[in-house]
Amino acid sequence: PPGADDFHPMKGPMTTQTLRGMSTHGALHWRGDRVTGLNGVDDCTEPAGAACDEDRAFRNFAVAFEGLIGANDPLNATDMQKFSDFALQLMIPPNPIRALDNSLNTSEAAGQVVFDTVLDDVDIDPDPQVINDTFTCELCHRRSAADGFFGTGGDQNPEGGTQNMKIPHLRNMYTKIGMFGIAFGIQGFNVGDQIRGFGFAHDGFVPTLLNFNMGFDTLTQAQRIEMVDFMHAFDTDLAPIVGQQITLDANNGPVVAPRIDLLIARASTPFDSLVLGTGVNECDLIVKGSMGGVPRGWVYDGALFQDDTGGAMLDIALRMLASTEGPLTYTCVPPGSGTRMGINADRDLHLDGNDNCAGVANDDQADNEGDGQGDACDQDDDNDVILDVYETDTGTFVSAFDTGTDPLVADSDGDGFADGIEVELGSNPNSALSTPNGVPGLTPASLIGLAVAMALAGWLLMIRERHSAVRGGDHA
């Protein structure tokens, strides 16, 4: 640890910042200095009000691939844009300390008042003639969910240190708890036990928020503690209810019902978030269960639970299914994802309950052999018990894993024998002149042969699927 003479708010190593939640806080880097760089100068006129454009700032880090990682050149513009598009969608998770109904307890609420309104006197103006400027925490650590600000508006610290510093956001303060035992003495800072690696401030050297708040002389100790509680419960772009889940069965209704009531209430409560867009609620509420032994899904629309076949149910009617059809699992998912996660997984024109291939988008619902499983996800489109991936449609038989047969025709050579039967019994499925000896063709009159073929088909499909799984594992 540095000695007393070495410690300064603008000196020391920099802790790595999270790569989540960068899309609304302006220029990047701990100095906030990536407004200019490889991609030119940012005019900093972002409509949302943040200091500068996050996308340009992120792409300016292309030089790090050369200067930091050791590549020969910066990452090319196309790949860097893809990287930016991905990274700027990463979000800070819901705050696990904040109450599930998004309220603040007494101490947290008092801390918010202190944060927003209590003045402190610190010389933050670089003008030497202006001493002891008066400010609140919120003046620098902006807090406005509608603008995407959660502790910073993207500006630089105005304290006039030896280096410029970007004002940090405050959404993940609770993750830094775990550094203890600091003492201030003649030898400087002596840090005791730590279980998470870093504390607070730019260099991670201040072990707790309470230690950090000791620097505000106008606050009472009680106010400092209230501020700590509030900062640990700081807002994020996802409400605390997001991710909460509970299962209702035939016996646990009295225990589970209040939590379901809470999920419904929060799914009906408006929520401000710049990145999630306007008109959203705290979460989308989905339900997964079954009816008649068939998997089913529902999503709450604010009044009814819409199902995956186009129908709808009242809350009380849906809960009753837990006693007659089996358990129901309720989940609050991120706003905007309810339809996809609840009733239309592939986001095509067909809800899951009416979709012959619910996991893969297939608006045409093509089903070559009419078995109820869409071609888009059917591994055997002609039901000849040879997986499509092995039916290479070349007309030349090589092996059971390169049959040369047509994946959409069960009897490629038209000799009355299914391709899978021919492969299994040793004849060429691409030649009508090659037929299994002593085995009748698969005609309506050949019932005995059909029964044998079906039995063999089931066995062969099982072997093929096992082999496919092994090949997939080896490939991975």
Side-chain angles (χ1 to χ4, degrees):
D5 293 338
D6 296 324
F7 184 78
H8 187 279
M10 299 298 179
K11 288 184 178 180
M14 305 296 159
T15 61
T16 300
Q17 301 180 63
T18 178
L19 296 182
R20 296 179 293 185
M22 297 185 293
S23 66
T24 62
H25 282 161
L28 307 180
H29 205 239
W30 55 269
R31 293 187 299 257
D33 62 353
R34 289 294 185 184
V35 295
T36 62
L38 185 67
N39 293 289
V41 179
D42 187 358
D43 56 15
C44 295
T45 58
E46 189 176 10
C52 302
D53 176 36
E54 298 86 6
D55 175 63
R56 185 192 298 268
F58 190 94
R59 288 185 288 113
N60 277 338
F61 276 91
V63 297
F65 285 85
E66 179 182 18
L68 182 63
I69 298 178
N72 291 328
D73 300 290
L75 193 65
N76 67 74
T78 299
D79 286 342
M80 197 65 200
Q81 185 63 67
K82 292 178 181 178
F83 191 11
S84 178
D85 292 344
F86 165 74
L88 293 181
Q89 293 184 73
L90 299 176
M91 298 174 67
I92 298 285
N95 191 316
I97 293 179
R98 199 175 178 100
L100 293 181
D101 65 359
N102 209 19
S103 64
L104 298 177
N105 64 30
T106 301
S107 181
E108 293 164 354
Q112 178 176 317
V113 173
V114 175
F115 186 91
D116 289 343
T117 65
V118 175
L119 302 176
D120 195 22
D121 294 329
V122 176
D123 189 15
I124 65 171
D125 195 303
D127 185 349
Q129 303 301 316
V130 180
I131 300 176
N132 290 338
D133 312 292
T134 300
F135 74 109
T136 67
C137 296
E138 208 279 333
L139 178 65
C140 292
H141 294 280
R142 295 291 316 284
R143 189 174 62 82
S144 174
D147 295 317
F149 298 155
F150 297 95
T152 180
D155 296 322
Q156 291 182 329
N157 189 322
E159 292 182 11
T162 57
Q163 295 187 67
N164 292 329
M165 299 281 288
K166 181 178 178 180
I167 298 171
H169 72 92
L170 301 175
R171 292 168 291 181
N172 63 346
M173 297 298 97
Y174 64 88
T175 68
K176 297 176 179 288
I177 297 173
M179 188 172 174
F180 308 102
I182 193 168
F184 298 84
I186 297 177
Q187 299 302 318
F189 295 87
N190 298 310
V191 178
D193 297 334
Q194 55 185 91
I195 60 175
R196 287 191 66 90
F198 296 101
F200 298 88
H202 68 288
D203 56 2
F205 193 69
V206 180
T208 70
L209 281 176
L210 185 58
N211 287 114
F212 186 87
N213 288 344
M214 295 294 288
F216 301 108
D217 296 334
T218 60
L219 301 183
T220 67
Q221 186 69 351
Q223 288 176 320
R224 296 186 184 109
I225 293 173
E226 290 165 348
M227 276 262 288
V228 169
D229 291 341
F230 170 63
M231 293 169 73
H232 282 161
F234 215 83
D235 312 61
T236 79
D237 271 312
L238 293 173
I241 201 67
V242 172
Q244 293 299 309
Q245 182 180 84
I246 199 162
T247 297
L248 173 68
D249 61 31
N251 302 310
N252 66 359
V255 176
V256 171
R259 178 54 58 87
I260 295 176
D261 293 340
L262 175 64
L263 298 181
I264 292 175
R266 305 325 298 174
S268 305
T269 302
F271 186 69
D272 286 331
S273 171
L274 181 65
V275 299
L276 294 175
T278 59
V280 302
N281 293 327
E282 288 191 7
C283 74
D284 287 354
L285 179 58
I286 67 170
V287 184
K288 291 292 186 177
S290 63
M291 290 183 67
V294 178
R296 297 291 301 276
W298 296 262
V299 62
Y300 185 62
D301 69 0
L304 299 172
F305 282 89
Q306 302 292 328
D307 70 29
D308 57 9
T309 66
M313 301 183 73
L314 291 168
D315 171 32
I316 187 171
L318 180 59
R319 296 195 202 198
M320 290 176 63
L321 292 181
S323 297
T324 60
E325 299 286 349
L328 299 170
T329 297
Y330 292 70
T331 309
C332 257
V333 299
S337 62
T339 296
R340 175 181 61 84
M341 298 181 70
I343 61 176
N344 191 359
D346 56 15
R347 289 174 284 187
D348 63 8
L349 298 177
H350 306 276
L351 298 179
D352 294 343
N354 301 320
D355 196 337
N356 65 14
C357 187
V360 180
N362 62 333
D363 290 333
D364 61 10
Q365 296 287 283
D367 182 5
N368 177 68
E369 75 280 42
D371 65 353
Q373 186 175 26
D375 295 344
C377 56
D378 192 343
Q379 296 186 48
D380 183 9
D381 281 327
D382 55 10
N383 278 355
D384 63 356
V385 300
I386 302 176
L387 298 180
D388 292 343
V389 68
Y390 302 137
E391 294 200 77
T392 51
D393 202 21
T394 63
T396 301
F397 178 81
V398 177
S399 70
F401 308 113
D402 181 3
T403 65
T405 53
D406 187 337
L408 299 178
V409 179
D411 180 9
S412 296
D413 57 12
D415 63 359
F417 297 93
D419 295 339
I421 296 302
E422 292 211 57
V423 170
E424 183 63 26
L425 298 182
S427 59
N428 187 345
N430 299 293
S431 172
L433 299 177
S434 175
T435 60
N437 292 329
V439 179
L442 298 179
T443 64
S446 305
L447 298 180
I448 296 178
L450 179 61
V452 173
M454 293 302 293
L456 288 172
W459 175 79
L460 181 60
L461 182 58
M462 177 184 70
I463 296 300
R464 293 289 185 268
E465 289 181 343
R466 288 181 178 176
H467 183 81
S468 177
V470 171
R471 283 165 59 90
D474 291 343
H475 183 72

